[in-house]
Amino acid sequence: MILMAFIALLFCACETPQVAYFSDLDHSKTLQAHDPLEISLRPGDKLTIVVNSRDPQLSALFNLSYSSQRIGAAAGSTSSGQGILAYTIDSNGDIDFPVLGKVRIAGLRREEVATKIKNELMSRNLVNDPVVTVDYAGLFFDVLGEVRSPGRYNFDRDKFTLLEALSMAGDLTIYGKRDNVAVIRTEGDKRTTYRVNLLQGEDIYRSPVYYLQQDDIIYVEPNEKRANESTLNNNLLQTPTFWMSAATFLMTIGVLIFK
């Protein structure tokens, strides 16, 4: 019985974590999200560039396509398909584009790349009516810490949010510290850490990291309960929670004995 009471006191010493998001919002309040920072392409980023025109054979000269063949379940049956290879921006910020050669695109946005390729094709009289489509093929962010599925994830569009990223990682575990999520961002030659309180809607929507950039790192710290559990498993006697619980337990026993 005494042992059970002691264990109960240990659990009581742990604070119940807050898990409700947007606790400050009400239906009558409208929030404006932080202006999105446009994604500028960097060396190492991957993207697909597709050129179309009224002459398919001509436009095909400027597309990095490949053919694939797949063996079906039935004996002897095969199926083939065609895909588009991605360009990787080299360390100088260039891609090697068919016919055009080296094209500098680092620092440009996706629409600017499409415009630049289109203008180059027209100015050199290579294609008179090009339609250029640019898509991201290799932009990543990392999620670490107290989420259900930590790892590296790909995103392929602009205005991708922190909330969407956490959703892809399976949301925070019950042990995740929701009021102090860290987003580490590479800005030039340095890394800056931003803090976001998921319990406060205003803090989320007005944060400069509400919209993610490539190579962002999201870290969810363990809450006090998880940290205490980890410490208890490794060095029980050095934890303040242990000694506070032990003192409370001894006081309770003393009251029962001398009552």
Side-chain angles (χ1 to χ4, degrees):
M1 181 65 69
I2 294 177
L3 179 60
M4 292 179 64
F6 180 62
I7 294 174
L9 286 171
L10 282 175
F11 279 102
C12 291
C14 299
E15 183 181 358
T16 302
Q18 291 181 283
V19 295
Y21 298 158
F22 318 117
S23 58
D24 62 324
L25 298 185
D26 57 59
H27 297 295
S28 61
K29 192 171 186 178
T30 302
L31 290 180
Q32 180 66 41
H34 192 281
D35 291 336
L37 180 64
E38 297 287 348
I39 293 178
S40 296
L41 294 166
R42 306 170 182 168
D45 288 346
K46 298 178 183 293
L47 66 161
T48 60
I49 303 175
V50 179
V51 178
N52 288 294
S53 73
R54 284 179 292 184
D55 187 345
Q57 291 183 333
L58 178 60
S59 58
L61 297 174
F62 303 96
N63 295 326
L64 294 181
S65 60
Y66 68 92
S67 295
S68 62
Q69 191 174 59
R70 182 178 59 187
I71 300 177
S77 66
T78 61
S79 61
S80 60
Q82 192 171 40
I84 300 297
L85 293 173
Y87 294 89
T88 301
I89 303 175
D90 65 24
S91 58
N92 296 318
D94 302 331
I95 59 170
D96 194 358
F97 198 80
V99 183
L100 298 181
K102 293 287 186 179
V103 179
R104 177 66 54 85
I105 65 170
L108 300 181
R109 294 168 300 170
R110 184 168 54 169
E111 315 88 72
E112 293 173 333
V113 173
T115 300
K116 184 170 185 175
I117 298 295
K118 179 178 179 178
N119 290 340
E120 287 287 334
L121 293 173
M122 295 178 66
S123 66
R124 300 189 192 187
N125 293 318
L126 296 171
V127 184
N128 293 325
D129 58 341
V131 176
V132 181
T133 304
V134 179
D135 287 305
Y136 302 128
L139 301 186
F140 299 94
F141 63 90
D142 296 287
V143 188
L144 307 173
E146 288 294 337
V147 293
R148 298 187 188 280
S149 301
R152 166 163 284 196
Y153 293 89
N154 172 272
F155 68 102
D156 57 3
R157 67 182 189 275
D158 298 294
K159 297 183 180 180
F160 188 83
T161 71
L162 173 61
L163 297 177
E164 290 176 298
L166 292 173
S167 178
M168 287 181 67
D171 199 5
L172 281 67
T173 69
I174 193 66
Y175 302 106
K177 197 170 183 179
R178 287 158 168 77
D179 61 354
N180 195 29
V181 174
V183 178
I184 305 169
R185 171 165 294 172
T186 300
E187 297 176 323
D189 58 353
K190 65 178 182 178
R191 289 197 167 186
T192 304
T193 301
Y194 298 87
R195 300 283 177 173
V196 182
N197 182 358
L198 298 181
L199 304 177
Q200 301 292 317
E202 290 195 27
D203 194 66
I204 299 171
Y205 290 116
R206 294 177 180 174
S207 171
V209 293
Y210 176 69
Y211 292 105
L212 294 186
Q213 296 279 297
Q214 67 268 50
D215 302 322
D216 279 353
I217 300 173
I218 303 167
Y219 174 62
V220 180
E221 297 180 14
N223 61 18
E224 185 177 354
K225 183 176 187 297
R226 171 66 89 183
N228 287 341
E229 286 178 355
S230 176
T231 308
L232 284 169
N233 290 334
N234 291 286
N235 199 351
L236 178 65
L237 295 179
Q238 293 186 15
T239 61
T241 301
F242 173 82
W243 290 110
M244 291 175 62
S245 300
T248 303
F249 172 73
L250 293 175
M251 290 176 62
T252 303
I253 296 300
V255 169
L256 292 175
I257 293 176
F258 296 105
K259 183 176 179 181

